[in-house]
Amino acid sequence: MHVRVAIIGTGFSGIGAAVRLLDEGIDDFVMIERDSGLGGTWRVNRYPGCACDIPSRLYSFSFAQNPSWSQGYSEAPEILAYLERVADERGLRRHMRFDEQLERAGWDAQGQRWQLETSRGALSADILIAATGPLSEPSEPRLPGIGTFTGHAFHSARWDTEHDLRDRRVAVIGTGASAIQFVPEIQPLVRSLSLFQRTPAWIVPRYNRRYGRRERELFRAVPTLMSLVRGTMYGVRELQFLSFRHRALAAAMQRMSERHLEAQVSDPTLRAALTPGYTFGCKRILVSNEFYPAVSRPNVRVVTSGIREVRGHEIVALDGSAHEIDTIIFATGFKATDPPLARVVHGRHGDSLHEAWSPNMRAHASTTVHGFPNLFVIPGPNSGLGHTSLIYMIESQIAHAIGVIRMMRDRGIAAVEPTAAAQERYVRRIDREMPRTVWAFGGCSSWYQDATGHNSTLWPDFSFRFRQAVATVRPDDYAAVSPDRSGR
Ligand code: N01
């Protein structure tokens, strides 16, 4: 089987790319999905309380805005239903192949196409869109002695919905964006909750409200009004980027977070344990009204001394305290800077994307990679954000990909890749901006950084500047790849 385009993944990036391909008149494409349904992270994450911490009004495609959101911050099932609706309205399901995993993609220099091997067989594609997302592969620490654990353990992104937590002694490892959403949900159910916190997060209040029927009808009837509200919210959030660059603004925001903590936690010892020691914004800012009250309940113990080992049915902390545990929930994040997909995609030199990205992930326009013709990675390196909707970035990258595909069609070129110079220029701009941000001066380490400490995940500027930088393709930044350019 041969197709014009193979898209890997059916989350926001894959679906957005598919819609824009159809708009371009390209419908010869497949969407390969390892899960049994579409939706990506919004299908896979089934932990209780899973919701978006970016306002709903911003969390939809610009071309499929949603007047029907039920509240300010939507929950995962509603976002999944939105994605299913977009896919159905655009007839995408007939392109989708579920329960199929990409095992290898290699650039065929003579045929000028990608040869794909999946768990279900082989196919080829002129163009490959890797839309698997940076937060799809769970990262789970190998705790000393975990093999001796006699209870049940799972990762928050692989939630065991069959496992009844009622009356259990539960350990939660990690206090990031996922943990703070499900801890308040499970705390009332469990007998005891030992929360192993390595680094506390800055948490701000969540101003949520339900949208009434009239409001929804109004937005349905007057889409311009919906766009206006969305545009205003976008502008306000965009201003928040300033706090990632200016210490005084970061300090003001930090004060707001400190007041939130003071208002919700009266015990000074617990408050001290929950107070971060780095600048606001350096790690992802979390949004919750329920986390602090939940961890203040008598059945919760916040353990800050680190984990020494697991011993049978106990977790022993570095301070020597032993915690009897029936269930361990790893809320320990994802392999954002070491995506497994990069290990199976091989470019025109035969090396893998993982090798090309050692030690740092790099791409032109955060989307295309020198040495990997006709490949688009969405979201790609340095396209992440700390202050607004990733969908804005995804749409900017899709616009770039469509621009390149259009250029190939208009010029009759079978294969292109960014020039080394164009990629270097783009990466240099990021490297120049990054030191001016809180991610450089904030005094923390986070999943934004790779093993070398280099921040290869975030865009260090306003999001509108990202769109300016990537949405339009400069033809000079690309070179045609001829069939003979196969070797080193
Ligand atoms: O993961 P995380 P997450 N021993 O990496 C700790 C997105 N998201 O799944 O900070 C002990 O944030 C680690 O500690 P430390 C969002 O972009 C979005 O919660 O490294 N602890 C940290 O506390 C988010 O940023 C939504 O010291 C260990 C935690 O585990 C991203 O997903 C909702 C450890 C990991 O936190 C990831 O969030 C949820 C170890 N060995 C998630 N290793 C939205 O609402 C790690 N930790 C859009």
Side-chain angles (χ1 to χ4, degrees):
M1 179 191 192
H2 178 78
V3 289
R4 176 77 178 131
V5 186
I7 300 173
I8 315 298
T10 59
F12 265 98
S13 303
I15 288 176
V19 168
R20 296 290 288 110
L21 285 174
L22 289 176
D23 291 345
E24 285 299 299
I26 301 170
D27 91 334
D28 178 19
F29 64 87
V30 291
M31 304 177 74
I32 295 170
E33 169 60 62
R34 70 179 178 182
D35 203 30
S36 55
L38 66 85
T41 193
W42 296 107
R43 168 175 297 277
V44 171
N45 280 277
R46 290 172 188 211
Y47 60 79
C50 183
C52 187
D53 58 11
I54 293 295
S56 317
R57 295 260 171 260
L58 294 174
Y59 211 74
S60 58
F61 293 116
S62 60
F63 55 78
Q65 290 181 42
N66 183 15
S68 310
W69 291 125
S70 65
Q71 55 184 318
Y73 289 94
S74 301
E75 290 168 7
E78 194 174 359
I79 301 172
L80 178 59
Y82 164 79
L83 280 172
E84 287 177 331
R85 210 161 53 240
V86 174
D88 286 336
E89 281 169 8
R90 298 305 301 262
L92 297 183
R93 280 190 204 263
R94 68 191 175 84
H95 297 272
M96 293 179 179
R97 294 163 37 158
F98 296 117
D99 298 310
E100 184 168 352
Q101 173 111 23
L102 179 70
E103 289 175 347
R104 190 178 198 282
W107 178 250
D108 168 1
Q110 288 309 314
Q112 297 210 288
R113 53 180 57 179
W114 286 97
Q115 298 291 352
L116 310 184
E117 287 159 32
T118 78
S119 50
R120 297 201 168 188
L123 73 152
S124 60
D126 295 332
I127 292 164
L128 180 61
I129 299 182
T132 50
L135 303 176
S136 52
E137 203 58 33
S139 164
E140 206 174 290
R142 183 96 198 129
L143 300 177
I146 187 71
T148 69
F149 184 52
T150 50
H152 187 48
F154 53 89
H155 190 278
S156 61
R158 299 284 181 271
W159 196 269
D160 186 348
T161 49
E162 303 291 305
H163 183 70
D164 191 352
L165 287 173
R166 270 175 299 187
D167 209 30
R168 304 242 189 215
R169 299 165 299 182
V170 175
V172 172
I173 321 279
T175 50
S178 302
I180 71 142
Q181 291 185 336
F182 71 74
V183 161
E185 300 288 324
I186 67 169
Q187 173 273 320
L189 307 177
V190 303
R191 191 191 315 171
S192 65
L193 200 165
S194 304
L195 180 59
F196 290 86
Q197 173 190 270
R198 194 161 65 177
T199 318
W202 287 112
I203 302 177
V204 295
R206 185 174 188 252
Y207 300 106
N208 193 20
R209 72 179 175 87
R210 297 201 77 79
Y211 296 138
R213 188 172 53 83
R214 288 234 179 94
E215 195 171 350
R216 294 204 294 266
E217 279 169 3
L218 180 65
F219 282 139
R220 208 164 292 134
V222 194
T224 324
L225 183 65
M226 185 166 57
S227 298
L228 202 68
V229 171
R230 177 180 163 110
T232 308
M233 287 178 92
Y234 171 77
V236 170
R237 288 199 81 94
E238 194 68 334
L239 287 175
Q240 287 181 22
F241 176 75
L242 292 170
S243 71
F244 296 149
R245 194 169 272 179
H246 300 284
R247 289 169 199 261
L249 283 172
M253 298 286 287
Q254 188 165 309
R255 190 69 207 113
M256 179 178 76
S257 184
E258 282 163 358
R259 276 202 297 270
H260 187 48
L261 176 60
E262 281 157 21
Q264 292 203 315
V265 179
S266 52
D267 173 2
T269 311
L270 181 59
R271 212 158 55 209
L274 295 170
T275 303
Y278 56 85
T279 308
F280 184 90
C282 186
K283 280 173 180 284
R284 189 174 174 91
I285 300 158
L286 307 186
V287 188
S288 176
N289 298 338
E290 290 84 26
F291 179 72
Y292 288 144
V295 299
S296 305
R297 305 295 300 166
N299 66 338
V300 179
R301 187 156 166 202
V302 178
V303 186
T304 57
S305 71
I307 295 169
R308 179 185 296 160
E309 62 172 333
V310 180
R311 214 168 42 198
H313 63 283
E314 284 181 342
I315 295 184
V316 183
L318 286 175
D319 63 5
S321 61
H323 305 258
E324 301 221 331
I325 302 296
D326 304 310
T327 307
I328 299 177
I329 305 174
F330 289 99
T332 41
F334 301 88
K335 295 178 179 167
T337 55
D338 182 18
L341 187 97
R343 293 174 189 265
V344 301
V345 174
H346 296 260
R348 69 181 161 79
H349 300 308
D351 53 348
S352 69
L353 200 49
H354 172 78
E355 286 163 316
W357 280 350
S358 296
N360 311 126
M361 298 195 295
R362 288 165 184 277
H364 174 59
S366 295
T367 309
T368 52
V369 186
H370 181 70
F372 293 77
N374 297 4
L375 171 70
F376 302 94
V377 185
I378 309 174
N382 294 104
S383 64
L385 289 163
H387 68 290
T388 190
S389 172
L390 188 65
I391 296 164
Y392 181 87
M393 308 299 265
I394 288 172
E395 284 196 55
S396 308
Q397 283 194 255
I398 293 171
H400 187 89
I402 295 294
V404 174
I405 293 170
R406 222 182 261 159
M407 179 180 75
M408 290 165 68
R409 186 185 56 199
D410 294 348
R411 298 180 174 201
I413 305 169
V416 289
E417 65 177 33
T419 65
Q423 181 168 313
E424 187 54 32
R425 241 189 340 268
Y426 181 80
V427 167
R428 265 208 314 270
R429 172 184 175 173
I430 291 171
D431 290 348
R432 240 187 351 260
E433 294 291 334
M434 197 63 82
R436 301 173 60 199
T437 68
V438 67
W439 304 302
F441 65 69
C444 77
S445 62
S446 72
W447 64 260
Y448 300 152
Q449 298 150 324
D450 59 30
T452 69
H454 182 262
N455 188 325
S456 49
T457 53
L458 293 190
W459 170 250
D461 206 337
F462 292 100
S463 67
F464 81 87
R465 293 232 173 95
F466 182 78
R467 184 155 290 185
Q468 284 174 344
V470 315
T472 312
V473 176
R474 276 192 299 267
D476 287 352
D477 289 345
Y478 281 87
V481 178
S482 50
D484 55 332
R485 292 189 66 191
S486 55
R488 285 173 189 278

